[in-house]
């Protein structure tokens, strides 16, 4: 644990030192990592459906499937990408070769195979991998990163390279405690990180607000800072049905409670994102920051 903390500090210093001068979190506010302490809290469903909602509202969205456990985005969208980030890291493909474009315009970077390896790449491999990303000079309004759950080094690296972190929790006490642990480790490494809480599986908006407010009280007491409120998603059977059908509920059940919650989150997100932040929409910039090379 001490070793992991030291490595993280070193990485942060690199990001906040030389790199930080070029890339502040604010500049990357449209590059959002969606993470959680505990698994199975709804991250992949939120990322997938939020991407559809933002697209419907006229935004260009790229999803980076960075969950090195299982490729769940693929399952939720019923796709099977031919190549993954692993092929980019091994030098066999350029990143533009692995992109999957959905009919509605959402683009997927299949990274569940490869995301974990980034943390272990040496400088030469990082530089070579970055070259493979050069074609990503195209821009998007939002890059949504679906990470694995927990505080694995690869997850923290992903979170640190993103401009914003959205932590997903459910009302379950274990999920809330694990969300706190994730926030704590991120704040230790990037004290001013833009962090927001999304509460999923609630029965009412009030239940979500209460969880958010209680979390903030604890954060202020123990970490000396608060986080933002990103929104809530009601418990809705439509989510499970959509997973079974492998089609986003935002598409198949746009009037469901879950879809309405996602739409509210999308509208708020658009309202919160600065109109134009120089460099912020460059996907290449994100990978440059993630790979930690100039
Ligand atoms: N709002 C909701 N209402 C009802 N069921 C939900 C809701 N959100 C998520 N679920 C259920 O929880 C399951 C897990 O969701 P999901 O795969 O999105 O979580 P995850 O956080 O990405 O999990 P992992 O950590 O394993 O990647 C879904 O298959 C779905 O059945
Ligand atoms: Mg998932």
């Amino acid at each position: 644990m001490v070793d992991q903390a030291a490595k993280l500090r070193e990485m942060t210093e690199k990001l906040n030192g030389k790199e930080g001068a070029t890339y502040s979190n604010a500049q990357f506010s449209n590059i959002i990592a969606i993470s959680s302490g505990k698994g199975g809290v709804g991250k992949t469903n939120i990322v997938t459906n939020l991407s559809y909602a933002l697209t419907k509202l006229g935004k260009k969205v790229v999803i980076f499937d960075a969950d090195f456990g299982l490729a769940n985005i693929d399952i939720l969208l019923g796709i099977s990408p031919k190549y993954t980030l692993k092929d980019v890291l091994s030098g066999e493909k350029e990143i533009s070769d692995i992109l999957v474009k959905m009919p509605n315009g959402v683009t997927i970077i299949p990274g569940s195979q490869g995301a974990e390896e980034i943390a272990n790449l040496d400088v030469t491999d990082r530089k070579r991998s970055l070259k493979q990303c050069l074609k990503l000079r195209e821009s998007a309004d939002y890059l949504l990163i679906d990470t694995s759950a927990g505080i694995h080094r690869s997850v923290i690296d992903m979170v640190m390279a993103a401009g914003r972190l959205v932590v997903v929790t459910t009302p379950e006490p274990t999920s809330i405690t694990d969300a706190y642990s994730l926030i704590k480790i991120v704040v230790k490494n990037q004290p001013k990180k833009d962090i927001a809480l999304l509460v999923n599986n609630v029965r009412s908006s009030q239940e979500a607000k209460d969880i958010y407010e209680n979390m903030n009280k604890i954060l202020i007491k123990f970490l000396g800072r608060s986080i933002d409120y990103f929104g809530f998603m009601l418990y809705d059977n439509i989510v499970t049905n959509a997973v079974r059908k492998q089609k986003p509920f935002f598409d198949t059940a746009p009037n469901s409670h879950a879809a309405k919650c996602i739409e509210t989150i999308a509208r708020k997100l658009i309202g919160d994102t600065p109109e134009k932040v120089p460099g912020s929409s460059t996907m290449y910039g994100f990978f440059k920051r993630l790979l930690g090379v100039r």
Side-chain angles (χ1 to χ4, degrees), residues 36 38-46 67 70 72 76 146-149 168 200-202 233-241 243 258:
S36 64
K38 191 172 185 282
V41 295
K43 296 179 295 296
T44 307
N45 274 280
I46 290 161
D67 183 343
L70 291 166
N72 288 332
L76 292 199
D146 183 23
T147 78
S148 292
V168 181
N200 186 19
N201 275 353
V202 288
M233 191 155 94
L234 293 170
Y235 180 87
D236 189 342
N237 284 328
I238 204 80
V239 181
T240 319
N241 292 341
V243 174

Side-chain angles (χ1 to χ4, degrees), residues 93-207:
K93 294 283 162 201
E94 286 184 358
I95 202 144
S96 49
D97 300 327
I98 69 163
L99 301 180
V100 178
K101 302 228 182 219
M102 299 305 292
N104 69 341
V106 169
T107 301
I108 323 289
I109 305 173
S112 77
Q113 287 176 40
E116 194 177 6
E117 275 116 85
I118 291 178
N120 302 320
L121 295 178
D122 63 21
V123 175
T124 316
D125 284 341
R126 279 167 189 263
K127 284 190 172 158
R128 188 179 41 72
S129 300
L130 192 65
K131 266 197 196 143
Q132 308 293 102
C133 297
L134 271 171
K135 289 256 171 72
L136 255 191
R137 281 191 179 277
E138 70 184 67
S139 63
D141 296 311
Y142 295 98
L143 172 63
L144 304 180
I145 308 159
D146 183 23
T147 78
S148 292
I151 52 167
H152 188 281
R153 167 92 198 274
S154 305
V155 176
I156 303 297
D157 282 359
M158 241 11 114
V159 167
M160 295 210 299
R164 302 174 83 178
L165 164 65
V166 173
V167 177
V168 181
T169 186
T170 68
E172 263 185 55
T174 45
S175 170
I176 297 171
T177 314
D178 292 357
Y180 172 77
S181 302
L182 172 64
I183 295 168
K184 188 173 154 191
I185 195 161
V186 172
V187 169
K188 278 236 158 80
N189 285 280
Q190 285 184 331
K192 291 188 176 161
K193 186 85 192 173
D194 184 345
I195 307 173
L197 191 73
L198 193 162
V199 192
N200 186 19
N201 275 353
V202 288
R203 305 277 170 186
S204 69
S205 62
Q206 192 56 49
E207 186 183 7

Side-chain angles (χ1 to χ4, degrees), residues 3-20 118-121 126 153-162 189-190 286-293:
D3 186 40
Q4 190 193 28
K7 276 185 186 163
L8 285 169
R9 250 195 318 279
E10 188 193 315
M11 177 90 184
T12 314
E13 276 160 17
K14 208 159 72 187
L15 288 171
N16 287 346
K18 271 186 180 173
E19 288 289 286
I118 291 178
N120 302 320
L121 295 178
R126 279 167 189 263
R153 167 92 198 274
S154 305
V155 176
I156 303 297
D157 282 359
M158 241 11 114
V159 167
M160 295 210 299
N189 285 280
Q190 285 184 331
F286 165 74
F287 279 97
K288 194 171 173 184
R289 194 154 119 134
L290 180 62
L291 290 162
V293 288

Side-chain angles (χ1 to χ4, degrees), residues 44-45 48-49 71-78 242-243 246-248:
T44 307
N45 274 280
T48 308
N49 288 281
N72 288 332
I73 297 266
D74 304 4
I75 295 166
L76 292 199
L77 290 173
V243 174
Q246 294 188 268
K247 291 215 160 66

